[in-house]
């Protein structure tokens, strides 16, 4: 039970509530097994499981929200309308349009299957478990990665090799091991973790400090530059909560102390500093990380400007992206180098779908607090989320966006109604 929230909706949680959200997180394009794994058995299994999940949610959920016009249903219908227009406008009947609509429909079913408190509680529970397990494996793998040789070695679509433990992936090709948990890469894992931090800090009456500590340690173990910047922004935003409660003041003091300790540690450890921030230095541009992020913005935005209303569509987007990168940097890059969801949506679908996507980010940020400063900072965090990875086909991402559109009902933010 969430401390301080003795709510009937939490006490009435069923096993199915855990299974549904576990499926959304684990059976996902964001994970190694079901996202970038080159074994097509996993891909087929994902579609079958999604189909069964859709049938199940349709059978147990009150479908009144589909006929009653709410903010979430309205945005969903508009997304469907503009995606279909994009398909017709570009004479493109790719299956990707159906899949994109299916994901948002499934996400709409999911957020109406849970109360807001149930969603928060179950999500935090699952991500905490994944984080705790991944930290144990991260520690063991840094002591001796050879212990994992008993597990199958698998290769993803980018050519990266990992030991597949099922509950965690262990990469052994980098100069240092990074925590990726079950996800296709550490940069995706850190998004799930930072989302958990947002829920823990801004959507609960009392913070579970054990959860928060594990989330932060897991974020550190990803060695992701963006993860540190995002986490710092989230923690900084919490300092602007207006409350004179002793528990909130104590939490602020702890968080301020954590920020100061982190800054001192990073500055005092040259090795750690280089591990985290060398990727954005001038010397590492050639390694691809900074280059990919910059090109993802500029190439996609140039495509968008030339196809303002309905984008270029899914089918010819890969070729268009390669041509745009060739024009920009003299090198043709494939869409595997694309890391920006927002500019990709603009390039593929055009201004209308792009506007709806940004509106969903804004709606989610509004729920975090009545404070304008906090809302702006969390909105920037969400922008950073979607500028770090291409998550167009992430069911969890779609669920998060649709959840942000839900009515204010029962969401409590440090005893201040959202």
């Amino acid at each position: 039970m969430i401390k301080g929230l003795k709510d009937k909706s939490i006490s009435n949680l069923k096993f199915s509530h855990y299974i549904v959200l576990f499926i959304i997180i684990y059976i996902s394009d964001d994970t190694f097994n079901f996202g970038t794994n080159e074994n097509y058995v996993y891909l087929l299994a994902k579609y079958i499981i999604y189909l069964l999940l859709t049938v199940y949610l349709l059978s147990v959920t009150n479908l009144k929200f589909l006929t009653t016009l709410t903010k979430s249903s309205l945005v969903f219908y508009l997304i469907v309308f503009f995606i279909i227009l994009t398909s017709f406008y570009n004479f493109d009947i790719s299956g990707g349009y159906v899949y994109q609509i299916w994901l948002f429909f499934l996400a709409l079913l999911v957020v109406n299957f849970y109360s807001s408190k149930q969603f928060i509680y179950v999500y935090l529970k699952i991500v905490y478990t994944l984080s705790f397990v991944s930290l144990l494996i991260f520690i063991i793998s840094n002591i001796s990665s050879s212990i994992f040789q008993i597990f199958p070695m698998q290769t993803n679509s980018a050519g990266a090799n990992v030991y597949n433990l099922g509950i965690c992936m262990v990469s052994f090709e980098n100069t240092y091991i990074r925590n990726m948990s079950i996800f296709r890469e550490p940069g995706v894992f850190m998004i799930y973790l930072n989302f958990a931090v947002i829920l823990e800090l801004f959507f609960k009456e009392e913070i579970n400090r054990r959860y928060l500590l594990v989330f932060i340690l897991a974020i550190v173990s990803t060695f992701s530059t963006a993860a540190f910047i995002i986490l710092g922004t989230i923690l900084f935003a919490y300092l602007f909560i207006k409350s004179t409660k002793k528990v909130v003041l104590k939490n602020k003091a702890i968080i301020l102390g954590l920020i100061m300790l982190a800054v001192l540690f990073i500055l005092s450890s040259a090795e750690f500093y280089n591990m985290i921030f060398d990727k954005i230095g001038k010397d590492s541009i050639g390694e691809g990380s900074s280059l990919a992020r910059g090109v993802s913005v500029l190439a996609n935005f140039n495509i968008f400007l030339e196809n303002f209303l309905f984008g270029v569509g899914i089918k010819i987007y890969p070729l268009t992206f390669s041509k745009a990168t060739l024009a920009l940097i003299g090198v043709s890059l494939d869409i595997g180098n694309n890391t920006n969801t927002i500019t990709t949506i603009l390039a593929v679908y055009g201004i209308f779908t792009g506007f709806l996507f940004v509106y969903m980010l804004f709606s989610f940020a509004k729920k975090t607090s009545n404070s304008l400063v906090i809302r702006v900072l969390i909105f920037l965090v969400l922008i950073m989320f979607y500028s770090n990875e291409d998550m167009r086909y992430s069911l969890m991402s779609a669920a998060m966006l649709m959840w942000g559109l839900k009515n204010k009902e029962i969401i409590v933010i440090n005893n201040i109604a959202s």
Side-chain angles (χ1 to χ4, degrees):
M1 180 176 290
I2 296 178
K3 293 174 71 176
L5 293 181
K6 299 185 183 299
D7 187 274
K8 187 178 179 181
S9 65
I10 298 299
S11 62
N12 284 345
L13 275 171
K14 300 176 182 177
F15 185 63
S16 59
H17 289 102
Y18 292 94
I19 291 297
V20 168
L21 203 48
F22 177 77
I23 288 172
I24 293 167
I25 293 173
Y26 192 84
I27 315 295
S28 164
D29 283 60
D30 293 333
T31 63
F32 179 92
N33 279 330
F34 296 93
T36 56
N37 193 333
E38 294 209 312
N39 187 333
Y40 288 98
V41 172
Y42 285 88
L43 185 64
L44 178 62
K46 179 183 66 178
Y47 292 142
I48 293 172
I49 292 169
Y50 278 7
L51 180 60
L52 293 174
L53 181 61
T54 304
V55 172
Y56 171 73
L57 290 175
L58 284 171
S59 67
V60 300
T61 306
N62 185 341
L63 301 180
K64 186 179 178 181
F65 66 88
L66 291 175
T67 54
T68 303
L69 201 60
T70 62
K71 185 163 65 171
S72 56
S73 63
L74 175 61
V75 170
F76 169 72
Y77 290 130
L78 286 173
I79 287 174
V80 172
F81 177 71
F82 288 122
I83 286 178
I84 291 173
L85 273 183
T86 296
S87 175
F88 279 106
Y89 183 83
N90 290 290
F91 302 102
D92 183 359
I93 54 172
S94 302
Y97 296 107
V98 176
Y99 186 50
Q100 189 77 82
I101 291 171
W102 185 15
L103 289 177
F104 274 106
F105 177 66
L106 194 47
L108 187 62
L109 291 175
V110 166
V111 298
N112 282 279
F113 175 67
Y114 296 90
S115 73
S116 291
K117 291 178 184 178
Q118 287 174 336
F119 183 87
I120 293 168
Y121 180 86
V122 176
Y123 180 85
L124 291 176
K125 196 86 169 177
I126 293 174
V127 175
Y128 170 76
T129 303
L130 288 173
S131 301
F132 188 79
V133 170
S134 73
L135 282 171
L136 289 178
I137 294 173
F138 172 77
I139 293 169
I140 295 170
S141 61
N142 274 279
I143 295 172
S144 175
S145 61
S146 61
I147 194 174
F148 299 113
Q149 291 179 0
I150 61 173
F151 294 96
M153 187 186 75
Q154 293 182 325
T155 304
N156 69 4
S157 56
N161 296 315
V162 302
Y163 293 122
N164 191 339
L165 282 61
I167 56 171
C168 191
M169 308 296 146
V170 179
S171 175
F172 54 92
E173 294 187 327
N174 297 318
T175 53
Y176 52 91
I177 294 172
R178 299 172 63 190
N179 189 352
M180 60 193 293
S181 184
I182 60 172
F183 299 94
R184 54 187 167 89
E185 59 179 70
V188 177
F189 184 30
M190 76 87 181
I191 292 175
Y192 280 72
L193 290 167
N194 275 304
F195 180 50
V197 173
I198 291 174
L199 294 181
E200 191 66 55
L201 292 180
F202 297 101
F203 290 89
K204 289 175 60 178
E205 288 180 305
E206 296 180 37
I207 296 172
N208 187 324
R209 291 173 187 156
R210 174 166 51 91
Y211 275 29
L212 186 61
L213 176 62
V214 169
F215 294 151
I216 291 174
L217 289 175
I219 288 170
V220 171
S221 67
T222 64
F223 296 114
S224 165
T225 306
F228 279 78
I229 296 170
I230 290 170
L231 176 63
T233 305
I234 295 169
L235 296 179
F236 181 66
Y238 184 80
L239 299 179
F240 289 92
I241 285 180
K242 296 176 182 177
S243 176
T244 56
K245 283 189 168 186
K246 286 184 179 180
V247 66
V248 175
L249 295 176
K250 187 176 181 180
N251 289 334
K252 285 185 178 182
I254 292 172
I255 286 172
L256 186 59
L258 284 172
I259 293 173
M260 293 174 67
L261 283 172
V263 171
L264 287 173
F265 178 74
I266 291 171
L267 293 178
S268 63
S269 173
E271 183 179 358
F272 191 77
Y273 181 90
N274 291 336
M275 258 195 284
I276 301 301
F277 296 106
D278 257 9
K279 288 185 289 183
I280 59 176
K282 291 181 180 178
D283 294 337
S284 65
I285 293 294
E287 294 177 9
S289 180
S290 299
L291 181 64
R293 281 163 175 73
V295 167
S296 296
V297 174
L298 295 175
N300 283 323
F301 197 70
N302 287 344
I303 296 170
F304 162 64
L305 290 178
E306 294 174 3
N307 304 272
F308 187 77
L309 291 178
F310 299 108
V312 295
I314 292 175
K315 187 175 182 179
I316 68 167
Y317 171 66
L319 178 61
T320 309
F321 182 81
S322 294
K323 289 180 178 178
T325 57
L326 181 63
L328 274 173
I329 59 174
V331 178
S332 179
L333 299 178
D334 61 43
I335 56 172
N337 293 279
N338 181 30
T339 63
N340 196 303
T341 308
I342 299 171
T343 56
T344 302
I345 287 175
L346 287 170
V348 174
Y349 297 110
I351 186 63
F352 301 111
T353 306
F355 170 79
L356 289 172
F357 186 86
V358 175
Y359 173 73
M360 286 190 283
L361 299 182
F362 178 72
S363 294
F364 183 93
K366 279 183 65 179
K367 280 186 163 43
T368 55
S369 176
N370 290 325
S371 165
L372 178 61
V373 175
I374 293 175
R375 288 177 174 182
V376 170
L377 288 172
I378 297 302
F379 180 70
L380 290 175
V381 163
L382 297 175
I383 293 294
M384 286 187 276
F385 276 179
Y386 289 100
S387 298
N388 193 66
E389 298 287 346
D390 183 1
M391 299 182 71
R392 284 176 295 152
Y393 298 118
S394 166
L395 179 54
M396 186 63 231
S397 168
M400 185 190 81
L401 293 170
M402 297 307 296
W403 186 76
L405 292 170
K406 283 192 74 174
N407 293 333
K408 292 182 179 179
E409 51 105 3
I410 68 170
I411 295 183
V412 176
I413 307 168
N414 297 295
N415 279 337
I416 303 174
S418 61

